[in-house]
Amino acid sequence: MAGVQTAVALREQGFDGRITLIGAEPHPPYDRPPLSKAVLLGKAEGSAFEVDFDALGVELRLGLDVTGVRPADHEIDTPAGPVPYDALVLATGADPVTLPGTSGVPGVHLLRTVDDARRLRPVLDAQHDVVVVGAGWIGAEFTTAAREAGCTVTVVEAADRPLAGTMPAEIAAPMAAWYAEAGAELLTHARVAAVEPGTVLLADGRRIPAGAVLVGVGARPATAWLKGSGIALGPDGSVTADAHLRTSVPDVYAVGDCASFPSGRYGTRLLVHHWDNALQGPRTVAANILGGAPLPYDPVPYFWSEQFGRFVQYVGHHADAEETVWRGDPAGPSWSVCWLRDGALVAVLAVGRPRDLAQGRRLVEAGAALDPTLAADPSVPLKSAVRKP
């Protein structure tokens, strides 16, 4: 997404030079969100972008690994030989974290690429007993698809709740009930000791039948290939881009899942592994490649997830919020949560309340202060809960 959108944005903003888009996968560039939905369930063969690269004058070099960058020479290295650049955009995304000891074990799957989704289709078609390791966003989406296909699903989560890495306990608690409602079993405080053919062995000795295992325990920036390049990486492996998405070396930019950036809005460095970031960032990169006054990148992060018959949306960054305001009953089909810092709205989670999300997004962008009492009334539009000066 980030690479394609950078090429598109360059052309839209008037760049008329040569653009080369290099990707390790052999497939034409495609969108990832449908992989855990329509592609996985066989309702679509793929999700290729509807972009005419020939008409845009973009050269695609597919199935080609990039093994290194030599900034002093303005070249990248590939098995087909070096490729020179005037400006280089790193948009390598993230790699899924694997489960130690599962390499080569039959029936263990990841879900990141279109090939992953196609390998998982027969698993769902055969209605295998499936074990999902990790109750994060991808684990929930895959569980939803597997239950729709008629599979028996057990979800194994090492933490005490789903979404432990992204949501506070009180927010995740009602979401845990969604698994049982969908007919899936959620096991928390459950660590995987080993995966054997047909079985997942937990640390407490339990054995869970597993015709297939889906590992969804997170992703890391795909930046190992940058070692020795002089391009600075953070402790999380992300390229530490500046406020203009420039890396630590001249003429090299980074965007999407592989890059972190300093947020002036939130006063911290953000690493955002979501589709919207890969859509928005390229516009800033393209503008800064073309020159002129440097354009800062300071978005309000946004993502969505479709799981268990619910449309879940989130906007903002709640890590340093001081107050949590609930709108609606979390046991019901639709509710939302607002996070406030110094009285201002900094983040919104909306479950089946798209209007809350749409209005909340504008209010977060504006730094609007809310009246907590009004905001807690789900019948009051969020925009009407803005505190009067």
Side-chain angles (χ1 to χ4, degrees), residues 99-113:
L99 204 59
T102 60
S103 178
V105 177
V108 178
H109 298 265
L110 300 168
L111 181 50
R112 184 73 180 180
T113 69

Side-chain angles (χ1 to χ4, degrees), residues 248-332:
S248 60
V249 303
D251 302 320
V252 180
Y253 301 78
V255 68
D257 290 4
C258 71
S260 62
F261 56 90
S263 171
R265 184 187 307 275
Y266 292 106
T268 189
R269 179 167 285 274
L270 298 181
L271 175 60
V272 181
H273 280 187
H274 293 296
W275 185 92
D276 192 64
N277 181 50
L279 173 68
Q280 304 294 341
R283 298 167 184 166
T284 298
V285 166
N288 289 332
I289 288 174
L290 289 171
L295 184 66
Y297 185 59
D298 195 11
V300 174
Y302 166 76
F303 71 87
W304 81 94
S305 176
E306 296 175 72
Q307 52 184 269
F308 308 115
R310 294 167 170 87
F311 188 45
V312 183
Q313 295 174 282
Y314 175 91
V315 65
H317 180 69
H318 67 267
D320 59 353
E322 301 158 345
E323 186 174 2
T324 303
V325 179
W326 289 81
R327 289 170 57 81
D329 182 0

